[in-house]
Amino acid sequence: MTETQSNEIQQALKEARKIVSCARSVVVLTGAGISAESGVPTFRGKDGLWKSYNVMELATPQAFKSNPKLVWEFYLWRRKLISSCFPNRAHYALVELEKHTPEFTLITQNVDGLHSKAGSRNVLEIHGNLWRSRCIQCGDKFMDSRIDCEIPPLCEKCGGLLRPDVVWFGETLDTTILNRSINALEHAEVLLIVGTSGVVEPAASFGAVARAAGAHVIEVNIERTPRSQMYQTVLLGRAGDILPELVKNSEV
Ligand code: BJW
Ligand code: ZN
């Protein structure tokens, strides 16, 4: 990186810091990239999960119907992997930002639970949580930390088949959570989008929703995304490096 480029990044960061620290209402949208530095694999890109695994065989309702055992193997493997991962500097920076922002909503597409583990409070997990199971028969939901259970696991209440309580392709998001997200986006002064490729709907359109309602949108990613051009500020770099710098002012 040349000295000019480095100065430009510092200048953009300084301006963004000012915008974030002055905002009354901030919404943050996170994706797999924020947990990458914790050791959680992302989905796309050269080391992404979907390079080694077929999404249609593992993350669709049809896949679960035809082979629940295989789907559970994949999810228990991920539970095991994530059980040894911890929140990183980016997760903790958002905890600080929440403390100093009057209206703060964190919308995450991640199912790893690391935002709550870090201490974030107002979190909307729009794609569910890997550490929760749901009965497909009686609808019972419960936190489930098992990584070595018999598969597919069955509901203790009704004997029905349990599934991971996550949102697969072709499934609709929980209406209450989606409505709360849209409401927060429509009232945001600033939307911070961190570590998402911006290709999975409806989250991919959240930036456009907030912009249309007048928000200043800041994207943080290691590379530009198909959506970058529609945002006012794009900060290129690792979330774990950028976010602590971005929220510095709000800590004082
Ligand atoms: C870093 C970094 C570092 C790396 N620092 N950055 C409209 C048009 C076309 C299609 C559709 C549409 N509406 C709905 C659809 C269908 C579908 C969809 O969007 N398909 C597209 C792929 C084309 N959407 C759905 O089915 C959704 N349901 C829905 O909309 O219902 C209504 C409806 C249904 C059907 C038709 C029409 C309407 C549900 C989507 C559910 C997604 N589920 C998954 C799996 C969850 C469970 C699990 O974890 O197993 O959610 S898929 C996967 O992708 C996961 C993620 O949450 C999601 C997004 O991925 P994310 O977070 O962006 O990760 P990556 O890997 O893609 O990107 C990582 C980024 O980080 C990269 O940019 C890196 O550069 C960056 N990065 N290190 C900063 N250190
Ligand atoms: Zn049940």
Side-chain angles (χ1 to χ4, degrees):
M1 190 188 302
T2 66
E3 199 178 323
T4 317
Q5 282 170 326
S6 168
N7 287 342
E8 277 172 12
I9 292 171
Q10 286 310 320
Q11 186 57 28
L13 196 50
K14 197 173 158 194
E15 281 165 21
R17 191 183 296 143
K18 208 164 149 193
I19 291 165
V20 170
S21 66
C22 291
R24 217 195 123 65
S25 55
V26 174
V27 175
V28 182
L29 168 67
T30 63
I34 196 167
S35 294
E37 291 160 64
S38 295
V40 181
T42 60
F43 294 92
R44 297 161 192 88
K46 71 174 169 48
D47 298 322
L49 283 173
W50 301 149
K51 273 277 178 292
S52 323
Y53 299 93
N54 181 344
V55 56
M56 297 317 281
E57 282 174 12
L58 297 166
T60 64
Q62 295 80 0
F64 186 70
K65 203 169 173 199
S66 66
N67 198 343
K69 221 172 154 204
L70 179 74
V71 172
W72 265 111
E73 263 169 27
F74 175 64
Y75 280 92
L76 289 188
W77 168 73
R78 283 177 57 206
R79 274 188 189 172
K80 193 166 185 182
L81 194 156
I82 291 169
S83 67
S84 60
C85 295
F86 297 92
N88 64 53
R89 279 159 38 92
H91 295 101
Y92 288 116
L94 295 181
V95 176
E96 286 310 311
L97 184 59
E98 180 168 18
K99 283 184 195 158
H100 298 94
T101 309
E103 284 167 33
F104 180 91
T105 308
L106 174 47
I107 305 171
T108 187
Q109 299 168 84
N110 300 344
V111 299
D112 56 31
L114 291 182
H115 284 301
S116 300
K117 201 167 184 176
S120 285
R121 299 174 77 92
N122 193 19
V123 184
L124 298 174
E125 292 177 321
I126 59 169
H127 290 166
N129 191 310
L130 179 73
W131 299 102
R132 208 167 47 225
S133 294
R134 182 171 98 224
C135 174
I136 64 165
Q137 198 161 280
C138 72
D140 189 46
K141 285 183 189 186
F142 62 98
M143 296 314 284
D144 186 355
S145 58
R146 291 175 293 181
I147 45 183
D148 276 328
C149 56
E150 202 153 300
I151 49 172
L154 300 177
C155 176
E156 280 188 2
K157 295 200 169 132
C158 76
L161 198 56
L162 292 176
R163 58 164 282 179
D165 193 22
V166 299
V167 182
W168 286 319
F169 280 112
E171 294 187 312
T172 51
L173 279 63
D174 179 281
T175 313
T176 308
I177 294 179
L178 183 59
N179 287 343
R180 281 179 64 193
S181 302
I182 303 285
N183 185 51
L185 291 161
E186 285 176 344
H187 291 91
E189 275 170 49
V190 172
L191 169 64
L192 184 58
I193 302 180
V194 186
T196 175
S197 55
V199 295
V200 175
E201 295 291 354
S205 298
F206 285 2
V209 171
R211 256 220 86 161
H216 185 108
V217 185
I218 301 170
E219 182 180 53
V220 177
N221 201 303
I222 48 170
E223 59 186 25
R224 289 182 71 84
T225 71
R227 310 266 164 174
S228 298
Q229 62 187 21
M230 72 165 78
Y231 306 141
Q232 292 95 326
T233 307
V234 177
L235 300 172
L236 293 180
R238 285 154 40 116
D241 295 331
I242 304 261
L243 291 194
E245 288 295 315
L246 191 63
V247 309
K248 244 181 191 170
N249 273 10
S250 49
E251 284 176 40
V252 290

